Amino acid sequence: MAGIAQKLQHNRDKLHGIGTNSHAVKYLEQDYELLKNSCLDRGQLFEDESFEPLISSLGYKELGPNSYSVRGITWERPKELCSNPKFIVEDATRTDICQGALGDCWLLAAIASLTLNKQVLRRVVPHDQSFDEDYAGIFHFEFWQFGEWVDVVVDDRLPTRDGKLLFVHSEEGSEFWSALLEKAYAKLNGCYEALSGGSTTEGFEDFSGGIAEKHDLSDPNPHLFTIIQKALERGSLLGCSIDITSSADSEAVTHRKLVKGHAYSVTGADRVEYSGDMVQLIRIRNPWGQVEWNGAWSDNSYEWKRISSDDQTRLTKAEDGEFWMSFSDFLRQYSRLEICNLTPDALTGDEFKKWAEIEFEETWRRGVSAGGCRNYPNSFWCNPQFVIKLDEEDDDPDDGEEGCTVIVGLMQKNKRRLRKMGQDMETIGFAIYELPEEFSGKTQVHLKRDFFLQNCSKARSETFINQREVCNHFTLPPGEYLIIPSTFEPYKNGDFYVRVFTEKNADFVEIDDPVECHVEEVDIDEDDISHRFKRLFGQLAGDDLEISPFELQKILNRVVGKREDIKTNGFSLTTCRTMINLLDKDGSCKLGILEFKILWAKIEKLLVLYKEKDTDQSGCMSASEMRTAVEDAGFSLNNPLHQIVVARYSEPSLTIDFDNFVACLIRLELLFNTFKELDEEGSGRIKLSYLVWLELTML
């Protein structure tokens, strides 16, 4: 129940604008201004108890308690490392980011690209912080996380060895914004080691809230150079890398001084006249610094002497780790390019076109909504389903193909943070189906197994992959489309975030079954009760001719205990009380003969349904069989309710035995009946006092 309450509160916060760029969520409820003022009032430097200078903040394996790598590490403040530390000197630049002893070059490449867009940079790195005025040993940064902006507070105790920063640092050593940014990001993800290994797009998105696209440079878009130029002009974040073919290739340096498996940032694109021809050049930065391309157009190469002096002056400003190369060499040497397109709120002014953006958060849960990919037709339909309605075609499609541009991004949440608990990325992807006309405009129509057996997908993610996000770009004809996000295999728990970018505004809704009850009432009167049943009831009920919960438990367990075709642990006293509450009309908390006869008829009916849905005759029911059985019993439930049913009534193996099956359906019927009685006006809403609500929930 606490999880449901937390989700409701989260939804309320979003409605009030909490989590937007202008109103970031306070991570771990730490308020930067309050904490800073408190430290200033007390004359003490801030010490962050939520991310202490301990080995657990460093890591869990390579940087864990028993690792040689953590020996000699001390945590020191910048004022202990140099005489005049600065947060930012004049302005943040790419040379402020030099890699240390952590495999997070993907993150540093993203940070380097961040410095090229001052507007985005100032959102992530608030510049009104310093080691001089009102210094209290506390700093804060803002990151985008799965649809909301989060403000993360850190103290300035940084891991060092021999008086030098262990991880990211500035080139000249006295500027600390990048080291503190890395610490805040490590805190957000659980520890420093959680940042090892990743895709530059992940950093791009967490610094901008944008959505990233990837380009395979072995088969480039014919207009890719222009795309890169436009992206840089629009402040997009760009990164590139060279694929590795084996683990031995990782961080290997080629004879041209390029590092395989290493994340670079793209920082410029230009054209120059060279020997009578126009040559396309691209500028790249290596976060390591010293290792640079030594081919054509590298620093001090002869090509620079054969261009105009104006071009030389404009393009040859030396930055350690930054170099130019021809675009043709770029395509030959590098494997992939990543471009992060910024969201509408990241762009101010009217000079740029902006994407229309829609987003949803949902979950995959074992036995309910984790159906796996289309290879698993019996469960694929259980995945959450979303419908997008595309009404207008693009005004001027770039590729000449008429239709509606759609970028779909599916992101799994919080997996990096869970690495220290042994969890890692699931393999994820999505499929897109054209919605038949008969379902047009309907939101309460979760499509079932037969639809997906009879229809092929219209589009799908390029691959299922074990990365944080899978994202693809499509052009679709106007119409309504069903988007099904899933893990590759079924029964994989996870929280996910799906968003869609379109050139024109589009409607995007999650669809699910309505919540309804159509259980047929058992119509019996005393004349229908046989003499044999009356005699049996007299023997069971005793002198008061009524059956209590204790007597009902003995009766039912005696009956089901003799059956070998169903599995049961026996009916609990709680279930028996629920049965009596459903049928007890006089408030005696016992059943008379008519009430008992109705209950007996219900149980017999449920037994037939149970055996019918137990298709493998195992004696128990799977979670997916339970879902269809609930529907056949007369209930229509949405995904969250099915999730509760499985969580409450299934075994660890996600099977439901007979007593839990009956307990679930009897309780559902009781809840629907209770609500119907209280909803006197038939409005679908009831108003309860605190006391009445407690009385009902305690039943």
Side-chain angles (χ1 to χ4, degrees), residues 32-33 124-126 128-129 138-142 151-154:
Y32 168 72
E33 293 294 342
V124 178
V125 185
D128 57 344
Q129 306 180 83
I138 182 171
F139 294 86
H140 71 127
F141 301 86
E142 290 193 2
D151 188 85
V152 182
V153 169
V154 289

Side-chain angles (χ1 to χ4, degrees), residues 141-156:
F141 301 86
E142 290 193 2
F143 304 103
W144 181 90
Q145 289 283 283
F146 316 115
E148 62 184 18
W149 284 91
V150 181
D151 188 85
V152 182
V153 169
V154 289
D155 63 33
D156 62 352

Side-chain angles (χ1 to χ4, degrees), residues 463-474:
T463 183
F464 273 74
I465 192 165
N466 61 338
Q467 292 184 355
R468 186 176 76 159
E469 183 178 44
V470 58
C471 177
N472 287 103
H473 186 122
F474 306 100

Side-chain angles (χ1 to χ4, degrees), residues 594-612:
L594 181 59
E595 295 163 335
F596 182 68
K597 178 62 176 177
I598 293 173
L599 174 62
W600 198 259
K602 284 181 176 293
I603 293 175
E604 287 182 326
K605 189 175 181 179
L606 292 178
L607 178 59
V608 172
L609 177 60
Y610 186 83
K611 289 176 60 62
E612 177 186 315

Side-chain angles (χ1 to χ4, degrees), residues 327-372:
F327 185 62
S328 56
D329 276 337
F330 171 71
L331 295 179
R332 281 191 291 268
Q333 298 292 333
Y334 285 88
S335 306
R336 63 191 66 256
L337 171 72
E338 299 162 329
I339 302 175
C340 184
N341 303 291
L342 300 183
T343 52
D345 67 339
L347 299 169
T348 58
D350 299 322
E351 64 268 32
F352 302 125
K353 288 184 177 180
K354 300 178 182 180
W355 293 102
E357 179 191 15
I358 318 164
E359 60 185 34
F360 263 97
E361 295 177 88
E362 255 303 343
T363 61
W364 295 300
R365 287 295 176 264
R366 295 177 66 236
V368 181
S369 56

